């Protein structure tokens, strides 16, 4: 395909399909919209606070004026009715009826008075408290001896005011005065004041109104259920239908005005005035509905204006965004094509990496086999010596058996068996080094691994006559790894040390194993040192002559150490020569989970299986 890259290293760059507009800054547009929204919110908030305070104050003033009017009406009604008992107590017709006990025309006379006065009812009681005349004919001949207005009137010479609860609900407000003639008490005149007409008049307004006496008991209210309760008890009751039900529908208009009173959690505006009569108080509860409606009307106009301004702003921004979206769609199409090309390149590179890993593993195995080839000559020499000795022992044993000395012949056979064990150990080491290592990690004793590595390198060490100085700790140094790979690293370091000391008269290799926070293995030689430390662990880097090596030993060894969680470093010694150091995480007894018995059995069975 023409879109495919010519090589894996070819850079892929998307084409630019659009240029940034120098006149359109999206961030500036966003700040403008954000500022407009903030301005709208602040304006609405401040307007709400200002208008709510203003309209609330106006509504409160109106409520106070209404209460002053209501208070004056009640006081006027009470004062007008307070004079009636005094006039009736001096009426000659009523006094004559009480003296003669002839009450034929008394009721009609009281009816004529009540029409002129406007009282609720009039009643004439004799000295025994019996109703002898009344505007309400149902109350004739009824006894009132224990009623408060009768008892108080007999005890006082003046007109007395009485407040008594009714059986049907509510209260009756009465003025009473005793009737006297020649210092004899003839009876009592009772005048009932009609204050309920004010309740009926107040029911047509939106406010809830109540009047309390000096004890705080509600005696008049637009809500019948409130009569006889205190104001606090009334506000805690279920709101009835009527004026108060309209009042509790409003709260303190967005919380801008704190409520003066609360009815079932709803805020109300409370106004109070004093009725100059026996410590009475009048109070009204006004809803914030009217305030909220007037404020919301102004706020609605403000919000509408800002909404129109925002709509126009979004319209112009949308036009610019549409143009940019068209350009982005074109660029997105090319990016999708580029993505397909990148996916193909990634797949090819993954395949190359897999091939490279396989080649690296193959080269590592080849390096091991090459090392085996170098050791084969020396190993064959090691095997020839036991074979020659075995031949000599067999010949001697044959002679001893022929001479009838079987005990001495058995000693020769024991020496032959020892030689065979030695040859088997040599071959097992070669086989374990030649095979590929596994992925399973087990506890490895670095001291044992070092001894095995030196044993495999023994033929070369004897041919070169190299002095090996070993320093090992008394306690085992355990790490978690693969013993075959660990031995491979040690053998590579020992081979490099031997190669580095070829041109030295007294070759010497120091091997130091130490254990602290980490396990440290140090291999030092007295050769010429290292020329390029930076490229030392790079693949195919070597200072040997062609045919002596391919430069993979240190690279493979460094990779093995890194896989085991360690680190390999190299430096030149101050007195000459090179120093290689391996650091591996040490395996403590508290962290190992492998049973020692199973581990010993596995290590014993492993060579036997080979």
């Amino acid at each position: 395909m023409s879109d495919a890259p010519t090589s894996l290293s070819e850079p892929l760059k998307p084409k630019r399909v659009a240029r940034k507009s120098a006149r359109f800054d999206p961030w500036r547009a966003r700040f403008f919209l954000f500022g407009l929204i903030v301005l709208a919110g602040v304006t609405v908030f401040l307007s709400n606070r200002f208008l709510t305070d203003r309209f609330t104050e106006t509504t409160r003033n109106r409520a106070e004026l209404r209460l002053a009017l209501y208070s004056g009406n009640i006081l006027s009604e009470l004062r007008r009715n307070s004079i009636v008992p005094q006039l009736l107590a001096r009426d000659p017709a009523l006094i004559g009826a009480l003296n003669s006990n002839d009450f034929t025309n008394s009721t009609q006379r009281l009816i004529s008075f009540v029409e002129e006065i406007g009282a609720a009812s009039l009643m004439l009681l004799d000295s025994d408290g019996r109703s002898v005349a009344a505007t309400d004919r149902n109350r004739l001949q009824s006894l009132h001896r224990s009623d408060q207005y009768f008892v108080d009137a007999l005890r006082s010479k003046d007109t007395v005011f009485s407040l008594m609860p009714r059986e049907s609900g509510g209260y009756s407000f009465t003025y009473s005065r005793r009737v006297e003639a020649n210092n004899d008490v003839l009876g009592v005149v009772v005048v009932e004041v009609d204050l309920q007409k004010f309740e009926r008049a107040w029911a047509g307004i939106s406010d809830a109104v109540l009047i309390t006496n000096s004890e705080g008991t509600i005696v008049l209210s637009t809500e019948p259920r409130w009569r006889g309760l205190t104001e606090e008890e009334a506000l805690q009751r279920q709101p009835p239908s009527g004026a108060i039900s309209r009042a509790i529908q409003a709260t303190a208009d967005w919380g801008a005005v704190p409520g003066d009173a609360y009815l079932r959690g709803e805020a109300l505006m409370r106004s109070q005035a004093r009725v100059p009569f026996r410590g009475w108080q009048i109070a009204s509860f006004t809803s914030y509905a009217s305030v909220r409606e007037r404020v919301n009307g102004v706020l609605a106009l403000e919000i509408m204006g800002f909404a129109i301004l925002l709509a126009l702003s979004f319209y112009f921004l949308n036009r610019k965004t549409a143009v940019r979206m068209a350009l982005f769609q074109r660029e997105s199409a090319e990016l999708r094509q580029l993505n397909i090309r990148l996916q193909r390149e990634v797949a090819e590179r993954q395949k190359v990496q897999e091939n490279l890993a396989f080649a690296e593993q193959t080269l590592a195995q080849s390096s091991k086999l090459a090392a085996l080839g170098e050791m084969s000559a020396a190993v064959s020499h090691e095997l020839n010596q036991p074979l020659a000795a075995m031949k000599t022992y067999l010949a001697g044993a044959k002679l001893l058996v022929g001479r009838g000395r079987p005990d001495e012949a058995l000693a020769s056979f024991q020496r032959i068996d020892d030689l065979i064990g030695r040859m088997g150990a040599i071959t097992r080491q070669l086989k374990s080094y030649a095979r590929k290592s596994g992925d399973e990690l087990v506890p490895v004793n670095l001291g044992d691994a070092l001894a095995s590595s030196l044993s495999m390198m023994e033929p070369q060490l004897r041919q070169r006559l190299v002095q090996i100085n070993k320093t090992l700790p008394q306690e085992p140094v355990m790490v978690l790894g693969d013993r075959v790979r660990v031995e491979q690293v040690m053998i590579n370091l020992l081979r490099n040390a031997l190669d580095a000391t070829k041109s030295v008269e007294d070759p010497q290799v120091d091997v130091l194993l130490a254990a602290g926070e980490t396990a440290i293995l140090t291999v030092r030689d007295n050769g010429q040192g290292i020329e390029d430390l930076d490229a030392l662990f790079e693949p195919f880097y070597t200072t040997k002559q062609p045919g002596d090596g391919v430069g993979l030993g240190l690279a493979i060894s460094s990779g093995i150490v890194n896989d085991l969680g360690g680190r390999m470093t190299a430096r030149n010694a101050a007195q000459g020569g090179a120093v290689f150091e391996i650091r591996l995480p040490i395996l403590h007894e508290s962290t190992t989970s492998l049973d020692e018995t199973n581990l010993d059995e596995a290590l014993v069975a492993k060579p036997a299986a080979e």
Side-chain angles (χ1 to χ4, degrees), residues 23 55 61-62 100 199 216 243 279 284 301 413 436 454-455 460 469 473 486 524 530 562 566 569 609:
R23 294 178 298 175
F55 293 153
N61 293 336
R62 291 178 179 177
S100 62
E199 288 184 338
S284 67
L301 294 177
F413 291 145
K436 293 183 179 181
L454 291 173
S455 178
Q460 293 178 335
N469 299 322
V486 172
R524 181 188 298 111
I530 303 171
N562 292 334
T569 58

mmCIF file of all heavy atoms in Angstrom, residues 23 55 61-62 100 199 216 243 279 284 301 413 436 454-455 460 469 473 486 524 530 562 566 569 609:
data_model
loop_
_atom_site.group_PDB
_atom_site.id
_atom_site.type_symbol
_atom_site.label_atom_id
_atom_site.label_comp_id
_atom_site.label_asym_id
_atom_site.label_seq_id
_atom_site.Cartn_x
_atom_site.Cartn_y
_atom_site.Cartn_z
ATOM 1 N N ARG A 23 -8.290 35.218 15.425
ATOM 2 C CA ARG A 23 -9.290 36.110 16.004
ATOM 3 C C ARG A 23 -10.210 35.408 16.986
ATOM 4 O O ARG A 23 -10.976 36.057 17.682
ATOM 5 C CB ARG A 23 -10.126 36.731 14.885
ATOM 6 C CG ARG A 23 -9.346 37.665 13.982
ATOM 7 C CD ARG A 23 -10.212 38.202 12.879
ATOM 8 N NE ARG A 23 -10.709 37.122 12.028
ATOM 9 C CZ ARG A 23 -11.578 37.285 11.039
ATOM 10 N NH1 ARG A 23 -12.057 38.497 10.788
ATOM 11 N NH2 ARG A 23 -11.967 36.267 10.318
ATOM 12 N N PHE A 55 -39.833 45.230 50.238
ATOM 13 C CA PHE A 55 -41.240 44.808 50.211
ATOM 14 C C PHE A 55 -41.662 44.206 51.552
ATOM 15 O O PHE A 55 -42.822 44.328 51.952
ATOM 16 C CB PHE A 55 -41.455 43.805 49.090
ATOM 17 C CG PHE A 55 -41.296 44.385 47.721
ATOM 18 C CD1 PHE A 55 -40.905 43.594 46.649
ATOM 19 C CD2 PHE A 55 -41.531 45.739 47.487
ATOM 20 C CE1 PHE A 55 -40.761 44.128 45.379
ATOM 21 C CE2 PHE A 55 -41.388 46.284 46.223
ATOM 22 C CZ PHE A 55 -40.989 45.487 45.166
ATOM 23 N N ASN A 61 -45.310 47.133 57.757
ATOM 24 C CA ASN A 61 -45.960 48.390 58.148
ATOM 25 C C ASN A 61 -47.463 48.311 57.947
ATOM 26 O O ASN A 61 -48.249 48.797 58.783
ATOM 27 C CB ASN A 61 -45.374 49.550 57.353
ATOM 28 C CG ASN A 61 -43.916 49.815 57.716
ATOM 29 O OD1 ASN A 61 -43.468 49.473 58.816
ATOM 30 N ND2 ASN A 61 -43.168 50.416 56.800
ATOM 31 N N ARG A 62 -47.880 47.699 56.855
ATOM 32 C CA ARG A 62 -49.311 47.559 56.615
ATOM 33 C C ARG A 62 -49.956 46.668 57.676
ATOM 34 O O ARG A 62 -51.074 46.935 58.141
ATOM 35 C CB ARG A 62 -49.551 46.977 55.229
ATOM 36 C CG ARG A 62 -49.186 47.934 54.091
ATOM 37 C CD ARG A 62 -49.408 47.263 52.747
ATOM 38 N NE ARG A 62 -49.070 48.191 51.654
ATOM 39 C CZ ARG A 62 -49.113 47.854 50.355
ATOM 40 N NH1 ARG A 62 -49.475 46.609 50.019
ATOM 41 N NH2 ARG A 62 -48.797 48.727 49.439
ATOM 42 N N SER A 100 -92.004 43.762 91.955
ATOM 43 C CA SER A 100 -93.345 43.171 91.875
ATOM 44 C C SER A 100 -93.342 41.742 91.348
ATOM 45 O O SER A 100 -94.394 41.093 91.306
ATOM 46 C CB SER A 100 -94.229 44.032 90.968
ATOM 47 O OG SER A 100 -93.680 44.054 89.652
ATOM 48 N N GLU A 199 -64.113 38.594 64.467
ATOM 49 C CA GLU A 199 -63.526 37.360 63.911
ATOM 50 C C GLU A 199 -64.063 37.086 62.519
ATOM 51 O O GLU A 199 -63.322 36.711 61.607
ATOM 52 C CB GLU A 199 -63.831 36.177 64.834
ATOM 53 C CG GLU A 199 -63.062 36.177 66.132
ATOM 54 C CD GLU A 199 -63.333 34.940 66.969
ATOM 55 O OE1 GLU A 199 -64.398 34.316 66.759
ATOM 56 O OE2 GLU A 199 -62.491 34.581 67.804
ATOM 57 N N GLY A 216 -52.163 35.101 78.531
ATOM 58 C CA GLY A 216 -51.606 34.544 77.311
ATOM 59 C C GLY A 216 -52.508 33.543 76.617
ATOM 60 O O GLY A 216 -52.089 32.898 75.650
ATOM 61 N N ALA A 243 -57.362 31.117 56.563
ATOM 62 C CA ALA A 243 -56.356 32.156 56.352
ATOM 63 C C ALA A 243 -54.967 31.662 56.678
ATOM 64 O O ALA A 243 -54.008 31.936 55.955
ATOM 65 C CB ALA A 243 -56.699 33.385 57.204
ATOM 66 N N GLY A 279 -54.668 44.217 79.805
ATOM 67 C CA GLY A 279 -53.434 43.529 79.406
ATOM 68 C C GLY A 279 -53.578 42.645 78.171
ATOM 69 O O GLY A 279 -52.769 41.726 77.975
ATOM 70 N N SER A 284 -50.826 39.250 64.557
ATOM 71 C CA SER A 284 -51.210 38.752 63.234
ATOM 72 C C SER A 284 -50.017 38.035 62.609
ATOM 73 O O SER A 284 -48.859 38.376 62.876
ATOM 74 C CB SER A 284 -51.686 39.896 62.332
ATOM 75 O OG SER A 284 -50.596 40.764 62.028
ATOM 76 N N LEU A 301 -37.909 39.350 35.247
ATOM 77 C CA LEU A 301 -37.483 40.247 34.164
ATOM 78 C C LEU A 301 -35.963 40.272 34.046
ATOM 79 O O LEU A 301 -35.415 40.265 32.925
ATOM 80 C CB LEU A 301 -38.016 41.656 34.434
ATOM 81 C CG LEU A 301 -39.561 41.812 34.385
ATOM 82 C CD1 LEU A 301 -39.952 43.236 34.742
ATOM 83 C CD2 LEU A 301 -40.089 41.449 33.002
ATOM 84 N N PHE A 413 39.013 -52.918 43.357
ATOM 85 C CA PHE A 413 37.661 -52.627 42.827
ATOM 86 C C PHE A 413 37.058 -51.373 43.476
ATOM 87 O O PHE A 413 36.360 -50.590 42.815
ATOM 88 C CB PHE A 413 36.741 -53.820 43.064
ATOM 89 C CG PHE A 413 37.117 -55.018 42.217
ATOM 90 C CD1 PHE A 413 36.970 -56.310 42.707
ATOM 91 C CD2 PHE A 413 37.620 -54.852 40.932
ATOM 92 C CE1 PHE A 413 37.303 -57.392 41.939
ATOM 93 C CE2 PHE A 413 37.946 -55.941 40.155
ATOM 94 C CZ PHE A 413 37.811 -57.229 40.646
ATOM 95 N N LYS A 436 19.061 -26.119 28.901
ATOM 96 C CA LYS A 436 18.429 -24.820 29.111
ATOM 97 C C LYS A 436 17.830 -24.765 30.502
ATOM 98 O O LYS A 436 17.299 -25.739 30.997
ATOM 99 C CB LYS A 436 17.317 -24.582 28.074
ATOM 100 C CG LYS A 436 17.829 -24.422 26.657
ATOM 101 C CD LYS A 436 16.700 -24.116 25.718
ATOM 102 C CE LYS A 436 17.209 -23.924 24.292
ATOM 103 N NZ LYS A 436 16.123 -23.609 23.361
ATOM 104 N N LEU A 454 33.757 -23.604 39.893
ATOM 105 C CA LEU A 454 35.208 -23.802 39.913
ATOM 106 C C LEU A 454 35.584 -25.234 39.553
ATOM 107 O O LEU A 454 36.626 -25.477 38.921
ATOM 108 C CB LEU A 454 35.745 -23.448 41.303
ATOM 109 C CG LEU A 454 35.699 -21.961 41.682
ATOM 110 C CD1 LEU A 454 36.090 -21.762 43.144
ATOM 111 C CD2 LEU A 454 36.643 -21.168 40.780
ATOM 112 N N SER A 455 34.705 -26.176 39.939
ATOM 113 C CA SER A 455 34.973 -27.566 39.587
ATOM 114 C C SER A 455 34.934 -27.757 38.082
ATOM 115 O O SER A 455 35.759 -28.485 37.509
ATOM 116 C CB SER A 455 33.966 -28.486 40.280
ATOM 117 O OG SER A 455 34.179 -29.828 39.907
ATOM 118 N N GLN A 460 40.812 -26.097 32.949
ATOM 119 C CA GLN A 460 41.445 -24.900 32.381
ATOM 120 C C GLN A 460 42.356 -24.220 33.398
ATOM 121 O O GLN A 460 43.403 -23.686 33.038
ATOM 122 C CB GLN A 460 40.362 -23.924 31.922
ATOM 123 C CG GLN A 460 39.527 -24.428 30.748
ATOM 124 C CD GLN A 460 38.451 -23.450 30.358
ATOM 125 O OE1 GLN A 460 38.019 -22.649 31.160
ATOM 126 N NE2 GLN A 460 38.019 -23.531 29.116
ATOM 127 N N ASN A 469 42.206 -17.280 44.618
ATOM 128 C CA ASN A 469 42.062 -16.930 46.030
ATOM 129 C C ASN A 469 40.576 -16.785 46.348
ATOM 130 O O ASN A 469 39.894 -15.898 45.812
ATOM 131 C CB ASN A 469 42.786 -15.615 46.345
ATOM 132 C CG ASN A 469 44.280 -15.719 46.071
ATOM 133 O OD1 ASN A 469 44.893 -16.750 46.327
ATOM 134 N ND2 ASN A 469 44.857 -14.636 45.550
ATOM 135 N N PRO A 473 32.115 -16.792 53.335
ATOM 136 C CA PRO A 473 31.637 -16.718 54.723
ATOM 137 C C PRO A 473 31.360 -18.119 55.270
ATOM 138 O O PRO A 473 31.197 -19.083 54.524
ATOM 139 C CB PRO A 473 30.349 -15.889 54.608
ATOM 140 C CG PRO A 473 29.871 -16.148 53.230
ATOM 141 C CD PRO A 473 31.094 -16.319 52.373
ATOM 142 N N VAL A 486 22.737 -19.148 37.495
ATOM 143 C CA VAL A 486 23.721 -18.526 38.377
ATOM 144 C C VAL A 486 25.111 -19.073 38.088
ATOM 145 O O VAL A 486 26.107 -18.324 38.024
ATOM 146 C CB VAL A 486 23.320 -18.752 39.850
ATOM 147 C CG1 VAL A 486 24.430 -18.291 40.784
ATOM 148 C CG2 VAL A 486 22.032 -18.001 40.173
ATOM 149 N N ARG A 524 37.919 -10.494 40.909
ATOM 150 C CA ARG A 524 38.962 -9.525 40.582
ATOM 151 C C ARG A 524 40.136 -10.255 39.934
ATOM 152 O O ARG A 524 40.547 -11.333 40.386
ATOM 153 C CB ARG A 524 39.429 -8.805 41.853
ATOM 154 C CG ARG A 524 40.504 -7.747 41.595
ATOM 155 C CD ARG A 524 41.077 -7.188 42.888
ATOM 156 N NE ARG A 524 40.073 -6.516 43.694
ATOM 157 C CZ ARG A 524 39.615 -6.955 44.845
ATOM 158 N NH1 ARG A 524 40.077 -8.117 45.339
ATOM 159 N NH2 ARG A 524 38.713 -6.297 45.529
ATOM 160 N N ILE A 530 39.879 -2.768 31.827
ATOM 161 C CA ILE A 530 38.833 -2.584 30.819
ATOM 162 C C ILE A 530 39.002 -1.219 30.184
ATOM 163 O O ILE A 530 39.137 -0.204 30.867
ATOM 164 C CB ILE A 530 37.433 -2.702 31.472
ATOM 165 C CG1 ILE A 530 37.290 -4.043 32.181
ATOM 166 C CG2 ILE A 530 36.321 -2.547 30.439
ATOM 167 C CD1 ILE A 530 36.042 -4.153 33.037
ATOM 168 N N ASN A 562 19.845 -9.232 36.102
ATOM 169 C CA ASN A 562 18.701 -8.316 36.166
ATOM 170 C C ASN A 562 17.393 -9.076 36.318
ATOM 171 O O ASN A 562 16.489 -8.641 37.045
ATOM 172 C CB ASN A 562 18.650 -7.444 34.915
ATOM 173 C CG ASN A 562 19.809 -6.462 34.857
ATOM 174 O OD1 ASN A 562 20.369 -6.084 35.890
ATOM 175 N ND2 ASN A 562 20.187 -6.043 33.662
ATOM 176 N N GLY A 566 18.789 -8.486 40.564
ATOM 177 C CA GLY A 566 20.070 -7.961 41.037
ATOM 178 C C GLY A 566 20.670 -6.964 40.073
ATOM 179 O O GLY A 566 20.002 -6.434 39.180
ATOM 180 N N THR A 569 27.951 -4.872 38.015
ATOM 181 C CA THR A 569 28.752 -3.696 37.716
ATOM 182 C C THR A 569 30.191 -4.123 37.453
ATOM 183 O O THR A 569 30.622 -5.218 37.848
ATOM 184 C CB THR A 569 28.718 -2.691 38.875
ATOM 185 O OG1 THR A 569 29.192 -3.330 40.066
ATOM 186 C CG2 THR A 569 27.293 -2.195 39.115
ATOM 187 N N ALA A 609 18.051 -38.091 38.089
ATOM 188 C CA ALA A 609 17.197 -38.173 36.917
ATOM 189 C C ALA A 609 17.964 -37.896 35.651
ATOM 190 O O ALA A 609 17.638 -38.387 34.573
ATOM 191 C CB ALA A 609 16.028 -37.187 37.050
#
